[in-house]
Amino acid sequence: MKICFAASECVPFAKTGGLADVAGALPAVLKNLDHDVRVFLPLYDTIKAGDFDLTPVENLADIPVRLGDHDRAFSLWQGELPGTDTPVYFVDCPHYFHRGRIYTQDSDEDERFILFQNAILIALQHMRWSPDILHCNDWQTGLLPVFLKKTYRWDKLFAETASVLTIHNIGYQGRFSPAAIYKAGLDYQDYYPLGPFEFHGSFCFLKAGMCYADILTTVSETYAREIQTAEFGAGLDGVLRDRAGDLFGVLNGIDTNLWNPAKDTLIPFNYDSDDLSGKAENKKALLSACHLPAEKEAPVLGIIARLADQKGFDLLPPIIDELLQQDIRLVTLGSGDSGYEDMFRAMSARYPGKNFAYIGFNNELAHLITAGADMFLMPSRYEPCGLNQMYSLNYGTVPIVRHTGGLADTVIDYDTDPENGTGFSFHEYNPQALLDAVRRAMALYQHQDRWREVMLRGMHADFSWEKSARKYVSLYRRAKQLLLDRTD
Ligand code: ADP
């Protein structure tokens, strides 16, 4: 199949969250399964052409695009996902993408991604490349299914192009003033209360995509069910219930080249399930890096996260005293909302020698915590998929998670299922439930033989992308069939 993969982020070029990890891994795995995949990404000024051997695409420079009252232009660059032969095309438009960061609060944020989406379809026209599937991701590419069915409907090149829209986090919706409809070259007649474009008085890119894409997916099966409820749907649950038959959950995989304790180049000691001695050495290295006393017996509980409401850290302050009264060390790596950053700074200042927080983004420390900690905490309020719990499982670092979204699909609670348990999970969103889960983990930690069994089960769990990529391929086939059935 010919697959056009459109995303606003892609590792290693541009990343703010999990979408970038998906865009940097899934297309290459699809390519290995013998599909013709091309990735499209904006050329932000933070991406240095020289670092990635990017070259301009011949005859695709200064291509005009009309955006409302403005004439803009873009050029196309090309490169590859590093270490693969998967082509990546970069939409170069300095006016919109030279802002020093990926997303902005600027008044033309809508235009930036309207241009990107138009540029993709125009580039495909110039290339005379007719994809079977246009795989869109989140609101930044949510208008593409609409463009296919409306603006570009005349073009036979796209007559057999089906669209798949993946929702990585329903909390980010791309809501703009209805004036954006004009900039997108769409028809105001389609903007009416409760219609596909309208959402609480705004023009919502994600909702539009959800109404027009042939197939919708999200990044875990539990999250696919959850977002059809008022509690998790962020206002879009009704739209999703209407499309329940076309909505599927596919768990993200992890990049086992980067996240594998046996060959991780960012940790001081490699190890595997046959020989865990390296893990103990990593624990020493972690404690030393965090200026914590080298006490082998006390378990280290790690946290690595974007510090946002979603991640559930408001559960910690009410129980931090009780938590740290136990013989445990807490190591946190995070950045994000300043309120949470201050909260973690204050908590670590109160418990020197037991609690260490690094506020900032630090990939190397993320690997060291994943390898060196004994337990890993993810108390998310909601979690579409989550990657860190999968990394932790494969590194023998036992996760303690809230039973929601992808966390529910990847971590088996030990106390519920001792034969198969890989971690600890709690259901109620309250501090006591979290504390209880940590206490259960601490109790098992005292029995090192059983603890080791739990570690090993996690290390043997298969989170490879190949499994998920095959699911996407079958959904691509389904999308294509739906499109052909509709056009018959
Ligand atoms: P989300 O996409 O909601 O942020 P995920 O668990 O899906 O959550 O992905 C988060 C990714 O970002 C992981 O690869 C994680 O290791 C990384 N990460 C998050 N915060 C930091 C940080 N402060 N320093 C280094 N890596 C981080």
Side-chain angles (χ1 to χ4, degrees), residues 77-187:
W77 289 66
Q78 66 181 334
E80 286 175 348
L81 288 177
T84 79
D85 55 358
T86 312
V88 184
Y89 292 95
F90 296 84
V91 171
D92 182 22
C93 178
H95 176 78
Y96 288 125
F97 299 127
H98 286 199
R99 304 278 169 99
R101 57 198 181 284
I102 300 177
Y103 306 121
T104 76
Q105 304 286 333
D106 300 345
S107 59
D108 60 357
E109 187 71 354
D110 51 351
E111 286 172 39
R112 299 177 72 225
F113 292 101
I114 290 171
L115 176 117
F116 175 52
Q117 297 176 87
N118 270 304
I120 293 172
L121 295 178
I122 295 169
L124 295 180
Q125 289 174 322
H126 280 261
M127 296 166 159
R128 304 298 312 148
W129 195 64
S130 166
D132 296 290
I133 296 296
L134 186 49
H135 190 156
C136 314
N137 294 278
D138 284 348
W139 70 262
Q140 292 85 355
T141 48
L143 294 183
L144 280 167
V146 187
F147 287 172
L148 275 184
K149 293 216 161 60
K150 290 181 174 286
T151 332
Y152 292 79
R153 193 193 178 100
W154 60 271
D155 192 342
K156 296 245 177 329
L157 188 74
F158 302 123
E160 296 196 358
T161 301
S163 56
V164 172
L165 172 63
T166 299
I167 301 161
H168 295 262
N169 188 330
I170 196 105
Y172 299 90
Q173 302 176 337
R175 289 165 63 172
F176 298 100
S177 135
I181 296 173
Y182 176 61
K183 298 180 197 171
L186 295 167
D187 197 336

Side-chain angles (χ1 to χ4, degrees), residues 15 17-18 21 304-306 311 333-334 360-362 366 386-388 391:
K15 167 166 172 169
D21 294 303
I304 304 167
R306 246 179 340 109
K311 300 293 176 181
L333 165 63
F361 196 92
N362 185 331
L387 293 169
N388 282 304
Y391 300 153

Side-chain angles (χ1 to χ4, degrees), residues 15-19 21 169 252 259 304-307 310-311 333-335 358 360-366 370 378 383-389 391:
K15 167 166 172 169
T16 70
L19 163 61
D21 294 303
N169 188 330
N252 289 337
W259 290 95
I304 304 167
R306 246 179 340 109
L307 300 179
Q310 173 201 336
K311 300 293 176 181
L333 165 63
S335 60
Y358 180 104
F361 196 92
N362 185 331
N363 193 37
E364 201 165 329
L365 183 57
T370 306
M378 268 178 103
E383 192 62 71
C385 175
L387 293 169
N388 282 304
Q389 84 282 10
Y391 300 153

Side-chain angles (χ1 to χ4, degrees), residues 1-23:
M1 272 200 266
K2 286 178 283 178
I3 301 152
C4 174
F5 194 95
S8 55
E9 307 182 18
C10 176
V11 159
F13 309 107
K15 167 166 172 169
T16 70
L19 163 61
D21 294 303
V22 176

Side-chain angles (χ1 to χ4, degrees), residues 12 14 47 91 103 136 160 169 176 179 191 202 207 212 218 223 227 240 301 311 339 351 400 402 418 433 465:
I47 303 173
V91 171
Y103 306 121
C136 314
E160 296 196 358
N169 188 330
F176 298 100
Y191 182 82
S202 68
K207 180 178 175 186
Y212 282 89
T218 187
Y223 194 59
I227 55 179
L240 288 167
L301 176 62
K311 300 293 176 181
Y351 304 95
I400 302 171
R402 176 142 182 276
W465 261 111

Side-chain angles (χ1 to χ4, degrees), residues 438-454:
V438 177
R439 284 194 169 130
R440 287 190 284 126
M442 291 289 288
L444 188 71
Y445 188 78
Q446 308 313 315
H447 304 278
Q448 277 295 307
D449 48 338
R450 277 191 274 154
W451 183 262
R452 199 183 153 89
E453 282 168 23
V454 175

